[in-house]
Amino acid sequence: MKSPLWILCTLLLCGLLLCNVTAADSSTKPNFVFMMVDDLGIGDLGCYGNTTIRTPNIDRLALEGVKLTQHIAAAPLCTPSRAAFLTGRYPIRSGMAAKGRMGVFLFTASSGGLPQEEITFAKAVKGQGYSTAVIGKWHLGLNCEESTDHCHHPNSHGFDYFYGTIMTHLRDCQPGHGSVLHHVHVHIPYKALGIGLVSLVLLHIRGTITVTRKVVFVFLVLVGVFVSLFGVLLYTFPNLNCFVMRGAEIVEQPYTSENLTQRMTSEAIEYLERNSQSPFLLFFSFIQVHTGLFASPLFRGKSQHGLYGDAVMEIDWSVGQIMQTLERLNLKQNTLVYMTSDQGPHLEEISIHGEMHGGYSSIYKAGKSTNWEGGIRIPGILHWPGVLPAGKVIDEPTSNMDIFPTVLNLAGASIPSDRVIDGHDLFPLLQGQVQRSEHEFMFHYCNAELNAVRWHPPNSSAIWKAFFFTPDFYPQNSSACFHTHICFCIKPFITFHDPPLLYDLSRDPSESTPLSPDTEPQFYSVLKVIRAAVSRHTQSLKPVPIQLSPLQILWKPWLQPCCSSLSQLCRCERDHQIDKLRH
Ligand SMILES: *[C@@H]1O[C@H](CO)[C@@H](O)[C@H](O)[C@H]1NC(C)=O
Ligand SMILES: *[C@@H]1O[C@H](CO)[C@@H](O)[C@H](O)[C@H]1NC(C)=O
Ligand SMILES: *[C@@H]1O[C@H](CO)[C@@H](O)[C@H](O)[C@H]1NC(C)=O
Ligand SMILES: *[C@@H]1O[C@H](CO)[C@@H](O)[C@H](O)[C@H]1NC(C)=O
């Protein structure tokens, strides 16, 4: 029966099929290791031009893999950027974009979080036989209605294994480093006192009440109770918010940040060792280099840039440990490694001792919390020897939302068709099958407000960026943002622009000189195309519950996780893991 022609056809068919499989060198599914650093600036890494901090391990990743130079975070703040990263969708679509001033969760006992209906890449690949883990920072919520329902916990979002923190790291998590609450809300007790006094006087004038000694006494007691509650909140903040969980259990409350990256690295290495036989997806989400900064004794004082530089060096060490483990377990040829940051550096961070604790955004303007390039242009390195070219640099616009479809395609999972996915599969671009990014437009949100739009027309090298409003950040006196501790991109810290402020990033990557109809003949035609894109984009949005509304962000005592009785102030140390440091 078997004619030579038939065999030839079979061979041809096999060949064609094999060529279509991206991981042509292996029949097994690839593993994924994603490493995200918190608040790392694009200018902090050697491979992105830093000459004074040594990051040899990350630089090697770039040398052996693909480096993206226009890799854009979907949002300039942790919570929304991470929601977008995990789901491949703009945060506005999942409700993870704030309708208020605070754009991130500040308490573990908030009720908002990544909704159950969202599909993370972990959930998607689990159906394809993957083991999945997140080690490190989560910052996407915990509970909905009770202190143990864990509706937003990583385990409810497709991650089998979790070791890390629900919240972000903060200076409050480290004794002696001050408090963000103090910094941001120091005025609250005074405001309360002021408002109370003014109301009292007004009520007195209108004759509603007569201010007797008794009224003054009651008033003072009320203010006293309020200020004490505020004080208690400040005092217990670390216990209530800075804890480490293993799975569903709290194992360290509050945590000691010293050596935390070392412990997380050991956890990640053990995870890789345990799962080396099955396809796995590991999301290693560093607690560093968010403030309050820390570095373990091995790295303290090792850099030229104070504690910040030391922390970056420790991250680099950790990346090296992960890569060595992949090598030792013979997994390097079958693992896609991705290294990035969640947004730009927090430029306004100064420690209580006056040391600069924010990173460096290189030639890009401003940093975290703004949609100036410094707030959203992040490192993006992809590494897979034999499959991705070595030493390739791609300047096209890409997004941290692109990881979602890329992973699903590689793992053989189908892309959800019942919702808009904003990311695009990176592989054709990474492997050089196409030269242009599929991101013709990108929408840059400040919380739930559309702040700016980027347009990369298919027929030109221009990268237009139009701002409808801009945060009041001035490079010459960046102190403008220092008194608010961060450069807010909301009223009253912004300036509106009509017509929008237009830049061409291909000629002016630092956003130094806005274009005008006089300097740019295409000024109005570019804005017209951008406005049309905005209207198409806006029509694609469906109303969803806002997860970051003031009510959802609020501290709700009944949602407070606590590993001990209240009298012990939620303290415990249940993890008797010996630090297995590997150097
Ligand atoms: C390297 O990074 C540090 C820390 O962010 C920064 O202060 C310094 O200016 C950077 N150096 C160079 C040459 O880019
Ligand atoms: C951190 O690890 C070092 C050893 O590298 C040890 O001396 C130190 O006590 C550890 N710190 C804490 C807080 O456990
Ligand atoms: C590029 O295409 C746009 C429409 O997509 C058109 O308006 C514009 O004139 C074109 N520009 C060039 C340089 O061809
Ligand atoms: C910073 O500089 C700008 C323009 O140079 C000025 O309008 C603004 O008031 C300054 N802000 C502060 C806080 O000095």
Short mmCIF file of all heavy atoms in Angstrom, two decimals, residues 73-114:
data_model
loop_
_atom_site.label_atom_id
_atom_site.label_comp_id
_atom_site.label_asym_id
_atom_site.label_seq_id
_atom_site.Cartn_x
_atom_site.Cartn_y
_atom_site.Cartn_z
N ALA A 73 4.57 49.48 30.13
CA ALA A 73 3.66 48.96 31.16
C ALA A 73 2.26 49.49 30.86
O ALA A 73 2.09 50.64 30.48
CB ALA A 73 4.12 49.42 32.54
N ALA A 74 1.26 48.63 31.07
CA ALA A 74 -0.12 49.02 30.76
C ALA A 74 -0.63 50.09 31.71
O ALA A 74 -1.65 50.72 31.44
CB ALA A 74 -1.03 47.80 30.81
N ALA A 75 0.05 50.31 32.83
CA ALA A 75 -0.33 51.35 33.77
C ALA A 75 0.92 51.75 34.55
O ALA A 75 1.84 50.95 34.69
CB ALA A 75 -1.41 50.86 34.72
N PRO A 76 0.95 52.99 35.07
CA PRO A 76 2.17 53.42 35.79
C PRO A 76 2.15 53.11 37.29
O PRO A 76 2.95 53.65 38.02
CB PRO A 76 2.18 54.94 35.54
CG PRO A 76 0.75 55.31 35.36
CD PRO A 76 0.03 54.11 34.83
N LEU A 77 1.23 52.24 37.74
CA LEU A 77 1.16 51.87 39.16
C LEU A 77 1.04 50.35 39.29
O LEU A 77 0.52 49.68 38.40
CB LEU A 77 -0.07 52.51 39.81
CG LEU A 77 0.01 54.00 40.16
CD1 LEU A 77 -1.33 54.46 40.69
CD2 LEU A 77 1.11 54.29 41.16
N CYS A 78 1.48 49.85 40.46
CA CYS A 78 1.58 48.40 40.68
C CYS A 78 0.30 47.63 40.39
O CYS A 78 0.28 46.74 39.55
CB CYS A 78 1.99 48.09 42.11
SG CYS A 78 3.44 48.94 42.68
N THR A 79 -0.76 47.92 41.14
CA THR A 79 -1.96 47.08 41.06
C THR A 79 -2.51 47.00 39.63
O THR A 79 -2.68 45.90 39.10
CB THR A 79 -3.03 47.58 42.06
OG1 THR A 79 -2.49 47.47 43.38
CG2 THR A 79 -4.30 46.77 41.96
N PRO A 80 -2.78 48.14 38.97
CA PRO A 80 -3.32 48.02 37.61
C PRO A 80 -2.33 47.40 36.62
O PRO A 80 -2.74 46.61 35.76
CB PRO A 80 -3.65 49.47 37.23
CG PRO A 80 -2.97 50.34 38.22
CD PRO A 80 -2.77 49.53 39.45
N SER A 81 -1.05 47.72 36.75
CA SER A 81 -0.07 47.19 35.81
C SER A 81 0.00 45.66 35.92
O SER A 81 0.06 44.94 34.92
CB SER A 81 1.31 47.79 36.07
OG SER A 81 2.28 47.14 35.29
N ARG A 82 -0.05 45.15 37.16
CA ARG A 82 0.03 43.71 37.37
C ARG A 82 -1.24 43.01 36.92
O ARG A 82 -1.20 41.89 36.38
CB ARG A 82 0.32 43.42 38.84
CG ARG A 82 1.77 43.74 39.18
CD ARG A 82 2.00 44.02 40.65
NE ARG A 82 3.36 44.50 40.84
CZ ARG A 82 4.40 43.72 41.15
NH1 ARG A 82 4.21 42.44 41.36
NH2 ARG A 82 5.60 44.22 41.25
N ALA A 83 -2.38 43.67 37.12
CA ALA A 83 -3.64 43.08 36.65
C ALA A 83 -3.58 42.93 35.13
O ALA A 83 -3.98 41.90 34.58
CB ALA A 83 -4.82 43.97 37.06
N ALA A 84 -3.06 43.95 34.46
CA ALA A 84 -2.98 43.92 33.00
C ALA A 84 -1.99 42.85 32.54
O ALA A 84 -2.23 42.13 31.56
CB ALA A 84 -2.55 45.28 32.47
N PHE A 85 -0.88 42.74 33.24
CA PHE A 85 0.14 41.75 32.90
C PHE A 85 -0.45 40.34 32.95
O PHE A 85 -0.27 39.53 32.05
CB PHE A 85 1.31 41.89 33.88
CG PHE A 85 2.31 40.78 33.84
CD1 PHE A 85 3.00 40.49 32.68
CD2 PHE A 85 2.58 40.02 34.98
CE1 PHE A 85 3.94 39.45 32.64
CE2 PHE A 85 3.50 39.00 34.96
CZ PHE A 85 4.18 38.71 33.78
N LEU A 86 -1.20 40.03 34.02
CA LEU A 86 -1.72 38.67 34.20
C LEU A 86 -2.86 38.34 33.23
O LEU A 86 -3.08 37.17 32.92
CB LEU A 86 -2.22 38.48 35.64
CG LEU A 86 -1.16 38.43 36.73
CD1 LEU A 86 -1.82 38.28 38.09
CD2 LEU A 86 -0.21 37.28 36.50
N THR A 87 -3.59 39.38 32.80
CA THR A 87 -4.80 39.11 32.00
C THR A 87 -4.68 39.52 30.54
O THR A 87 -5.56 39.20 29.75
CB THR A 87 -6.01 39.87 32.58
OG1 THR A 87 -5.73 41.28 32.53
CG2 THR A 87 -6.30 39.49 34.02
N GLY A 88 -3.64 40.27 30.18
CA GLY A 88 -3.49 40.74 28.80
C GLY A 88 -4.48 41.82 28.42
O GLY A 88 -4.70 42.08 27.24
N ARG A 89 -5.10 42.45 29.42
CA ARG A 89 -6.14 43.45 29.16
C ARG A 89 -5.86 44.75 29.90
O ARG A 89 -5.33 44.73 31.01
CB ARG A 89 -7.49 42.91 29.66
CG ARG A 89 -8.07 41.82 28.79
CD ARG A 89 -8.87 40.81 29.58
NE ARG A 89 -10.02 41.30 30.33
CZ ARG A 89 -11.19 41.62 29.80
NH1 ARG A 89 -11.37 41.55 28.50
NH2 ARG A 89 -12.19 42.03 30.56
N TYR A 90 -6.28 45.87 29.30
CA TYR A 90 -6.17 47.14 30.00
C TYR A 90 -6.92 47.04 31.33
O TYR A 90 -8.03 46.47 31.38
CB TYR A 90 -6.75 48.28 29.16
CG TYR A 90 -5.87 48.70 28.01
CD1 TYR A 90 -6.27 48.54 26.69
CD2 TYR A 90 -4.61 49.26 28.25
CE1 TYR A 90 -5.45 48.92 25.63
CE2 TYR A 90 -3.79 49.64 27.20
CZ TYR A 90 -4.20 49.47 25.90
OH TYR A 90 -3.39 49.84 24.86
N PRO A 91 -6.35 47.61 32.39
CA PRO A 91 -6.98 47.51 33.72
C PRO A 91 -8.42 48.04 33.73
O PRO A 91 -9.25 47.55 34.49
CB PRO A 91 -6.09 48.38 34.61
CG PRO A 91 -4.79 48.50 33.88
CD PRO A 91 -5.06 48.31 32.43
N ILE A 92 -8.71 48.98 32.88
CA ILE A 92 -10.06 49.55 32.82
C ILE A 92 -11.10 48.47 32.49
O ILE A 92 -12.25 48.55 32.89
CB ILE A 92 -10.11 50.71 31.79
CG1 ILE A 92 -11.42 51.49 31.86
CG2 ILE A 92 -9.90 50.23 30.38
CD1 ILE A 92 -11.41 52.59 32.83
N ARG A 93 -10.67 47.42 31.78
CA ARG A 93 -11.62 46.37 31.37
C ARG A 93 -11.97 45.44 32.53
O ARG A 93 -13.02 44.83 32.54
CB ARG A 93 -11.03 45.54 30.24
CG ARG A 93 -10.77 46.32 28.97
CD ARG A 93 -10.57 45.38 27.79
NE ARG A 93 -9.94 46.04 26.66
CZ ARG A 93 -10.60 46.78 25.76
NH1 ARG A 93 -11.89 46.95 25.89
NH2 ARG A 93 -9.95 47.32 24.76
N SER A 94 -11.05 45.30 33.50
CA SER A 94 -11.32 44.38 34.61
C SER A 94 -11.81 45.14 35.84
O SER A 94 -12.08 44.52 36.87
CB SER A 94 -10.06 43.58 34.94
OG SER A 94 -8.97 44.46 35.18
N GLY A 95 -11.89 46.46 35.75
CA GLY A 95 -12.29 47.25 36.92
C GLY A 95 -11.12 47.52 37.85
O GLY A 95 -11.30 48.02 38.95
N MET A 96 -9.88 47.18 37.41
CA MET A 96 -8.71 47.39 38.26
C MET A 96 -8.09 48.77 38.00
O MET A 96 -6.87 48.94 38.05
CB MET A 96 -7.69 46.27 38.03
CG MET A 96 -8.20 44.91 38.46
SD MET A 96 -8.46 44.78 40.25
CE MET A 96 -6.83 44.24 40.77
N ALA A 97 -8.93 49.73 37.68
CA ALA A 97 -8.50 51.11 37.48
C ALA A 97 -9.32 51.99 38.40
O ALA A 97 -10.55 51.89 38.41
CB ALA A 97 -8.71 51.51 36.02
N ALA A 98 -8.66 52.84 39.17
CA ALA A 98 -9.31 53.55 40.26
C ALA A 98 -10.22 54.67 39.79
O ALA A 98 -9.91 55.37 38.83
CB ALA A 98 -8.26 54.11 41.20
N LYS A 99 -11.35 54.82 40.48
CA LYS A 99 -12.18 56.01 40.32
C LYS A 99 -12.00 56.84 41.58
O LYS A 99 -12.90 57.02 42.37
CB LYS A 99 -13.65 55.61 40.20
CG LYS A 99 -14.04 55.10 38.83
CD LYS A 99 -14.68 56.18 37.96
CE LYS A 99 -14.78 55.81 36.51
NZ LYS A 99 -15.74 54.75 36.25
N GLY A 100 -10.82 57.31 41.83
CA GLY A 100 -10.53 58.06 43.04
C GLY A 100 -9.06 58.36 43.01
O GLY A 100 -8.40 58.12 42.00
N ARG A 101 -8.55 58.89 44.11
CA ARG A 101 -7.16 59.28 44.09
C ARG A 101 -6.22 58.08 44.20
O ARG A 101 -5.24 57.97 43.51
CB ARG A 101 -6.88 60.25 45.24
CG ARG A 101 -5.42 60.68 45.24
CD ARG A 101 -5.07 61.53 46.43
NE ARG A 101 -5.63 62.87 46.32
CZ ARG A 101 -5.18 63.90 47.04
NH1 ARG A 101 -4.20 63.74 47.89
NH2 ARG A 101 -5.73 65.08 46.90
N MET A 102 -6.57 57.14 45.09
CA MET A 102 -5.65 56.04 45.37
C MET A 102 -5.76 54.96 44.31
O MET A 102 -6.81 54.35 44.16
CB MET A 102 -5.99 55.49 46.77
CG MET A 102 -4.89 54.68 47.40
SD MET A 102 -3.30 55.51 47.44
CE MET A 102 -3.62 56.70 48.73
N GLY A 103 -4.70 54.74 43.57
CA GLY A 103 -4.75 53.81 42.45
C GLY A 103 -4.30 52.40 42.76
O GLY A 103 -4.26 51.56 41.87
N VAL A 104 -3.93 52.14 44.03
CA VAL A 104 -3.45 50.81 44.41
C VAL A 104 -4.08 50.43 45.75
O VAL A 104 -4.62 51.28 46.45
CB VAL A 104 -1.91 50.78 44.58
CG1 VAL A 104 -1.21 51.11 43.29
CG2 VAL A 104 -1.46 51.73 45.68
N PHE A 105 -3.98 49.16 46.11
CA PHE A 105 -4.47 48.73 47.43
C PHE A 105 -3.43 49.09 48.48
O PHE A 105 -2.23 48.93 48.27
CB PHE A 105 -4.72 47.22 47.45
CG PHE A 105 -5.83 46.81 46.53
CD1 PHE A 105 -5.60 45.96 45.46
CD2 PHE A 105 -7.11 47.30 46.72
CE1 PHE A 105 -6.62 45.60 44.60
CE2 PHE A 105 -8.15 46.94 45.87
CZ PHE A 105 -7.91 46.09 44.81
N LEU A 106 -3.91 49.60 49.61
CA LEU A 106 -3.01 49.95 50.72
C LEU A 106 -3.21 49.05 51.93
O LEU A 106 -2.43 49.09 52.87
CB LEU A 106 -3.23 51.40 51.14
CG LEU A 106 -2.32 52.45 50.53
CD1 LEU A 106 -2.50 53.79 51.21
CD2 LEU A 106 -0.84 52.04 50.60
N PHE A 107 -4.28 48.24 51.92
CA PHE A 107 -4.57 47.37 53.06
C PHE A 107 -4.84 45.95 52.58
O PHE A 107 -5.44 45.75 51.53
CB PHE A 107 -5.82 47.86 53.82
CG PHE A 107 -5.76 49.30 54.24
CD1 PHE A 107 -6.48 50.26 53.58
CD2 PHE A 107 -4.95 49.68 55.30
CE1 PHE A 107 -6.42 51.59 53.97
CE2 PHE A 107 -4.88 51.00 55.69
CZ PHE A 107 -5.62 51.97 55.03
N THR A 108 -4.46 44.97 53.40
CA THR A 108 -4.80 43.59 53.05
C THR A 108 -6.28 43.33 53.31
O THR A 108 -6.82 42.35 52.83
CB THR A 108 -3.97 42.59 53.88
OG1 THR A 108 -4.12 42.93 55.26
CG2 THR A 108 -2.52 42.63 53.50
N ALA A 109 -6.91 44.21 54.10
CA ALA A 109 -8.33 44.03 54.42
C ALA A 109 -9.22 44.94 53.57
O ALA A 109 -10.20 45.48 54.04
CB ALA A 109 -8.58 44.26 55.90
N SER A 110 -8.85 45.14 52.31
CA SER A 110 -9.73 45.81 51.36
C SER A 110 -10.56 44.72 50.68
O SER A 110 -10.14 43.57 50.63
CB SER A 110 -8.92 46.54 50.29
OG SER A 110 -8.09 47.50 50.87
N SER A 111 -11.72 45.10 50.14
CA SER A 111 -12.55 44.07 49.52
C SER A 111 -12.37 43.98 48.01
O SER A 111 -12.81 43.02 47.38
CB SER A 111 -14.03 44.31 49.85
OG SER A 111 -14.38 45.62 49.47
N GLY A 112 -11.71 44.96 47.40
CA GLY A 112 -11.49 44.92 45.96
C GLY A 112 -10.38 43.95 45.59
O GLY A 112 -9.59 43.55 46.43
N GLY A 113 -10.33 43.59 44.32
CA GLY A 113 -9.26 42.71 43.84
C GLY A 113 -9.56 42.23 42.45
O GLY A 113 -10.60 42.55 41.87
N LEU A 114 -8.64 41.44 41.90
CA LEU A 114 -8.83 40.93 40.54
C LEU A 114 -10.08 40.04 40.52
O LEU A 114 -10.14 39.05 41.23
CB LEU A 114 -7.59 40.14 40.12
CG LEU A 114 -7.49 39.76 38.64
CD1 LEU A 114 -7.41 41.01 37.76
CD2 LEU A 114 -6.29 38.87 38.38
#
